[in-house]
Amino acid sequence: MQRCTFDKRYDPNKFLTNSSVKFHSGLYEEHELERSDENLKLVIEKIVEEIMEQKNCIVFVTDSVYRTLVDIMHIQSPSIISKYEITLRDNEQFSRPRKQIRRILNDSKAIGCNAYVILIANGFVTAEFLKYTENERLIDAYGLFLFLYDDRLFRPNLYYIWNRIINVVFIRQYNAYKHRSGEKAFKEKIDLYTVYFPSRGKRYSSMKCIDTWYHNKLQYGVNHFTKTTSNLQKKHLRVAIFEHIPSVTERSRAYYNERPNNITQALGVEFELIQTISKAMNFIPKYYMPHNIAVERWGTTDVNETTGLINEAIQGKAAFYLGDLHYTLHHLNYFDLSIPYNTECLTFLTPESLTENSWKLLILPFKLYTWIALLFTLVLGGIAFHVLSLSYKKYIGLYKTQMYVPITTMEKEGKGLYLFTEIQNSLLYTYGMLLQVSLPNLPNSWGLRIFIGCWWIYSILVAVAYRGSMTATLANPFARVTIDSLAQLAKSSIEVGGWNKEDKEFFLISADSNSQEVGKKFQLIVNEETAIERVANGSFCYYENSYFLRNARVKKQIYEKEQVDKGISKTTTSKHNLHIMEECAVNMPIALGIEKNSPLKPRVNILIRRIIETGLVEKWLSDVMEWSKITEIRQETESEKAVVNLHKLQGAFIAIIVGYFVAFMVLIGEILYWKHVTLKDPKFDKYHLDKFYNIPNNVKI
């Protein structure tokens, strides 16, 4: 069987680009030309029929030459086929393409049309058409393509095209060549070519022959559109890496340096994904970290320059991009993203404050409304005792006097009423009973005794509740003041920020008013360590995914512990603990970054879906966060227990100090009143104080 080889008797760089090329007149030449056109027509129809067996929709793109040569719209198919036709002009311009061309391409893509037969005599027009449609994503790069061979399609500026469109067949028909006698001869052979994937050259596309048309038939007759991405035959594919938790960890750097594959630590979810995908697709990943990636990260797109992973994708330097890429429209402009393999909670790392409120120990057991109700009951109870005592003394005593009851009997029944006949004494003794202090004398009147008994029951219940709550307050650790929602974050005066300006725009365009408030005070901060230090100082909230924040918090806690072990006071290193806000600002899908319009995407999506279904992603994610979880558990077990110390009892000392101070001020006030008011009164006589104070004669002073 004949193989695809170039004939040494003719120049292989010369090829037929226009079937309407005019030859010298002559019956022989005209006959050979007609036969050449007929062969080309038969080859095109064969390949189109093969495409129709696999696809149910085809887009035909032709010009004035090949539209008349091949009646492609009337090629018979075994099933119903949707057909679209675009006829390009010889001078077609794609800087301002015709609306009809764009409309047809959009309509065909909308219904999933992914087979293209592009027969254009001018290779330059074909190249411009490909650049325009591929850049605007008006064609499905994963579909089947048929082209006429033209070396203008393989110039360096189109190198990236043939790394994206790989299910392609080129029809190459050779020109006439001359014998030494000067006589022209025609070659009937037509070769079918396709591209290597990945390309063997760095800046040029490699071609391989897959079949030959000879003696009115294809020599091999096999399927010309093979799935080349299922087995890449140990080809090398570059993988750009930005180390970011949980996608890639620092422990994976051993692979960059070509160390032995004996690492048992977690390498990152996306790193494990690429390792598994490379084995399934049989390629060798070549990992590398772009220059200054730790600072530029995902990258920004300014007017004059681009940075980070985005710059790597624009220049097409890698086949895969690892770096915890969010599935957003912004990233889709520069990458092809796989199906999401995980959903991350994007939230804020906030400062956590301890409520050092031991000085409020006496009021901590009850809430505000409980204290208000308690004080109201105390005042009401004191007034009730006072009113009952006065009523008993006034009405019951007067009634017994009118009934000529003996004085001794009246004195016995009125015993103890003096405790409540004055309002200040009534309030004081009522307050004492509430604190379970016994009365100096129990009144003999039964009405007052019954009320006192009920008051005792109320006092017992209140005292027990107060003591129990105070015991719990002393035994429990200090309460923590945290920010756990966007509403709290928006109301707080703390500044917020993150690395990416797209995050700021996300908050600003949100319909939620709290998110808009957060967006207004959102700051861009490049240095991650500086941001976490500001959070520890209580002046900043840092925006990232919860896995990254948890890892950063543990690192900060370990650093603080090391500083304390070295004898450095914790107050000089950090003022606040770090807390991860419970509410998620957004649950963001995370995907693997792939080169734009990469033919690997369909196969990669299938493999990622299988990996997710087997539970490997959850397992890898657990491995990445295992260190953080274990470290947090250890720190919790080593944390200081809640004990009652002088610091927690400062409320009692504050109470007695306040009592001493108030008593001292009252004493000073009484002394000043005695010296400046009482002694200067003209009625004052130290020898007749009973007259000055109107004391009855039968009462001893």
Side-chain angles (χ1 to χ4, degrees):
M1 183 176 293
Q2 184 177 355
R3 300 180 60 188
C4 293
T5 57
F6 292 112
D7 196 328
K8 296 182 179 179
R9 293 176 297 175
Y10 61 91
D11 185 2
N13 293 324
K14 295 182 179 180
F15 46 87
L16 182 64
T17 58
N18 191 333
S19 61
S20 64
V21 175
K22 296 183 179 181
F23 298 90
H24 294 290
S25 60
L27 294 176
Y28 175 78
E29 295 176 351
E30 292 180 0
H31 172 73
E32 292 297 332
L33 181 59
E34 291 176 0
R35 193 173 68 181
S36 176
D37 291 344
E38 183 63 26
N39 287 333
L40 180 61
K41 178 180 178 181
L42 291 175
V43 173
I44 293 173
E45 290 179 351
K46 282 286 186 181
I47 303 302
V48 171
E49 289 174 0
E50 183 179 336
I51 294 175
M52 288 181 174
E53 292 177 358
Q54 303 182 38
K55 305 294 181 180
N56 57 3
C57 179
I58 301 180
V59 178
F60 295 98
V61 183
T62 60
D63 58 6
S64 59
V65 176
Y66 287 99
R67 187 182 184 188
T68 58
L69 176 66
V70 183
D71 193 4
I72 51 181
M73 295 301 290
H74 292 85
I75 298 177
Q76 297 298 324
S77 61
S79 60
I80 299 176
I81 300 293
S82 299
K83 300 177 182 178
Y84 292 85
E85 184 178 10
I86 299 175
T87 303
L88 300 181
R89 300 166 182 168
D90 294 337
N91 59 347
E92 194 75 54
Q93 298 293 325
F94 295 100
S95 58
R96 291 184 179 180
R98 286 180 287 155
K99 294 182 179 179
Q100 184 179 6
I101 296 176
R102 190 177 186 90
R103 178 180 58 80
I104 294 175
L105 291 173
N106 282 326
D107 292 345
S108 63
K109 187 177 180 180
I111 66 171
C113 199
N114 57 354
Y116 303 87
V117 177
I118 302 176
L119 305 175
I120 304 174
N122 189 341
F124 176 78
V125 175
T126 306
E128 292 299 312
F129 175 78
L130 282 177
K131 288 193 292 185
Y132 163 69
T133 54
E134 194 277 336
N135 184 60
E136 297 293 330
R137 297 200 177 192
L138 296 175
I139 58 175
D140 186 354
Y142 315 128
L144 307 182
F145 290 82
L146 176 63
F147 290 93
L148 293 176
Y149 184 89
D150 193 316
D151 66 346
R152 284 174 289 187
L153 299 178
F154 304 100
R155 292 178 179 176
N157 64 328
L158 291 176
Y159 168 78
Y160 71 96
I161 292 287
W162 310 119
N163 271 337
R164 299 175 181 179
I165 299 176
I166 61 173
N167 296 320
V168 56
V169 172
F170 296 94
I171 299 177
R172 180 168 187 170
Q173 186 180 24
Y174 299 99
N175 274 338
Y177 59 89
K178 292 183 179 181
H179 289 291
R180 292 181 180 177
S181 61
E183 178 184 353
K184 283 190 176 181
F186 288 86
K187 188 72 174 178
E188 182 184 352
K189 188 180 72 169
I190 299 176
D191 288 340
L192 302 183
Y193 286 87
T194 189
V195 293
Y196 280 102
F197 181 79
S199 179
R200 295 181 176 180
K202 295 184 177 180
R203 296 307 303 168
Y204 62 89
S205 300
S206 302
M207 304 289 294
K208 64 178 177 179
C209 184
I210 57 177
D211 208 341
T212 298
W213 176 269
Y214 195 71
H215 292 163
N216 296 326
K217 66 177 181 179
L218 292 171
Q219 297 301 304
Y220 300 115
V222 296
N223 182 14
H224 302 98
F225 297 96
T226 57
K227 295 182 179 179
T228 57
T229 58
S230 58
N231 186 355
L232 298 181
Q233 301 177 354
K234 300 294 182 180
K235 298 293 178 59
H236 292 252
L237 296 182
R238 302 192 75 197
V239 181
I241 286 183
F242 162 49
E243 294 176 353
H244 193 266
I245 301 295
S247 62
V248 183
T249 65
E250 294 181 357
R251 304 179 185 94
S252 62
R253 292 187 183 179
Y255 285 86
Y256 316 154
N257 302 326
E258 299 180 357
R259 297 178 186 175
N261 189 6
N262 56 358
I263 298 178
T264 58
Q265 296 174 320
L267 305 177
V269 179
E270 292 186 5
F271 199 93
E272 297 287 0
L273 277 173
I274 286 295
Q275 290 289 95
T276 305
I277 292 172
S278 64
K279 294 177 182 178
M281 299 179 66
N282 195 23
F283 69 86
I284 300 174
K286 287 294 183 180
Y287 304 100
Y288 76 99
M289 295 181 64
H291 176 68
N292 205 26
I293 191 65
V295 177
E296 297 176 353
R297 298 189 171 193
W298 297 283
T300 58
T301 53
D302 297 330
V303 178
N304 298 324
E305 64 175 351
T306 56
T307 59
L309 283 183
I310 291 179
N311 181 55
E312 297 292 306
I314 291 176
Q315 297 185 20
K317 292 184 176 181
F320 294 95
Y321 302 89
L322 310 186
D324 208 40
L325 292 173
H326 298 170
Y327 204 102
T328 61
L329 291 175
H330 174 71
H331 284 155
L332 284 172
N333 292 329
Y334 309 101
F335 306 92
D336 260 3
L337 300 177
S338 68
I339 61 171
Y341 66 84
N342 188 27
T343 301
E344 293 180 352
C345 171
L346 299 184
T347 185
F348 287 89
L349 184 68
T350 62
E352 177 185 276
S353 300
L354 296 177
T355 53
E356 299 288 347
N357 52 1
S358 297
W359 61 275
K360 298 189 294 185
L361 179 65
L362 295 177
I363 63 174
L364 284 177
F366 289 155
K367 298 295 183 180
L368 176 62
Y369 293 109
T370 306
W371 279 115
I372 293 175
L374 188 64
L375 293 175
F376 178 77
T377 306
L378 175 62
V379 174
L380 187 63
I383 294 174
F385 279 114
H386 179 64
V387 171
L388 282 174
S389 299
L390 292 180
S391 298
Y392 193 90
K393 182 178 180 180
K394 182 177 180 180
Y395 296 104
I396 303 300
L398 179 62
Y399 172 76
K400 291 185 176 182
T401 303
Q402 294 176 354
M403 296 296 295
Y404 303 101
V405 179
I407 296 176
T408 55
T409 304
M410 292 178 60
E411 289 178 353
K412 289 181 180 180
E413 292 185 359
K415 183 180 179 181
L417 289 179
Y418 72 92
L419 298 175
F420 304 102
T421 52
E422 294 185 1
I423 186 63
Q424 64 271 19
N425 289 339
S426 178
L427 292 174
L428 185 62
Y429 286 120
T430 304
Y431 171 67
M433 286 188 288
L434 187 61
L435 297 180
Q436 296 185 343
V437 178
S438 61
L439 293 173
N441 212 347
L442 188 64
N444 288 338
S445 56
W446 280 100
L448 203 56
R449 284 187 173 189
I450 292 173
F451 188 68
I452 289 174
C454 296
W455 184 260
W456 278 348
I457 295 175
Y458 166 77
S459 300
I460 290 172
L461 294 175
V462 172
V464 169
Y466 183 82
R467 289 175 180 175
S469 181
M470 179 174 287
T471 302
T473 303
L474 291 171
N476 290 333
F478 295 116
R480 302 179 183 273
V481 179
T482 59
I483 299 175
D484 287 315
S485 65
L486 280 176
Q488 295 176 352
L489 186 62
K491 293 178 182 178
S492 69
S493 59
I494 302 178
E495 298 176 343
V496 302
W499 184 89
N500 201 344
K501 68 178 181 180
E502 280 74 28
D503 296 331
K504 178 181 178 68
E505 295 175 358
F506 165 78
F507 287 105
L508 289 175
I509 65 176
S510 174
D512 180 45
S513 59
N514 293 324
S515 298
Q516 292 176 2
E517 289 296 325
V518 172
K520 291 178 182 178
K521 57 181 181 180
F522 196 96
Q523 300 178 359
L524 298 179
I525 184 167
V526 177
N527 195 317
E528 168 190 309
E529 295 180 357
T530 302
I532 295 176
E533 284 296 330
R534 291 179 61 183
V535 176
N537 292 331
S539 61
F540 195 70
C541 296
Y542 189 54
Y543 183 68
E544 254 291 355
N545 73 71
S546 58
Y547 304 109
F548 177 88
L549 296 180
R550 188 172 186 176
N551 189 74
R553 180 177 64 181
V554 171
K555 287 184 178 179
K556 183 65 177 177
Q557 291 172 350
I558 293 175
Y559 174 76
E560 294 290 344
K561 184 179 179 181
E562 291 176 352
Q563 294 295 97
V564 173
D565 294 340
K566 292 178 181 178
I568 302 176
S569 176
K570 186 176 180 180
T571 56
T572 61
T573 57
S574 178
K575 298 180 180 179
H576 297 268
N577 293 330
L578 303 182
H579 174 73
I580 299 176
M581 192 174 77
E582 293 182 358
E583 182 182 1
C584 297
V586 61
N587 290 305
M588 179 63 69
I590 307 299
L592 200 66
I594 311 174
E595 184 182 9
K596 190 176 179 182
N597 285 340
S598 173
L600 300 175
K601 181 179 177 181
R603 179 65 177 167
V604 169
N605 284 343
I606 294 174
L607 293 174
I608 290 179
R609 188 175 289 108
R610 292 176 182 175
I611 292 171
I612 295 173
E613 291 172 353
T614 56
L616 286 175
V617 171
E618 294 183 3
K619 191 265 181 187
W620 293 331
L621 187 61
S622 177
D623 291 344
V624 172
M625 301 308 299
E626 182 180 9
W627 173 77
S628 301
K629 293 178 182 178
I630 293 175
T631 306
E632 285 184 341
I633 293 174
R634 288 177 179 174
Q635 290 180 351
E636 289 177 359
T637 56
E638 296 174 0
S639 61
E640 183 180 358
K641 302 296 182 181
V643 294
V644 179
N645 48 25
L646 288 177
H647 181 71
K648 282 201 169 187
L649 287 177
Q650 62 179 325
F653 293 101
I654 290 176
I656 195 171
I657 291 173
V658 170
Y660 282 139
F661 177 76
V662 173
F664 183 72
M665 295 303 296
V666 171
L667 177 62
I668 293 177
E670 288 185 346
I671 293 174
L672 293 176
Y673 185 83
W674 173 263
K675 289 184 178 181
H676 297 283
V677 177
T678 304
L679 294 179
K680 293 182 179 181
D681 193 331
K683 297 180 180 181
F684 177 77
D685 187 355
K686 65 179 181 179
Y687 299 107
H688 300 282
L689 294 178
D690 54 343
K691 294 182 179 180
F692 181 77
Y693 290 106
N694 295 324
I695 301 176
N697 294 329
N698 59 348
V699 178
K700 297 181 179 180
I701 302 178

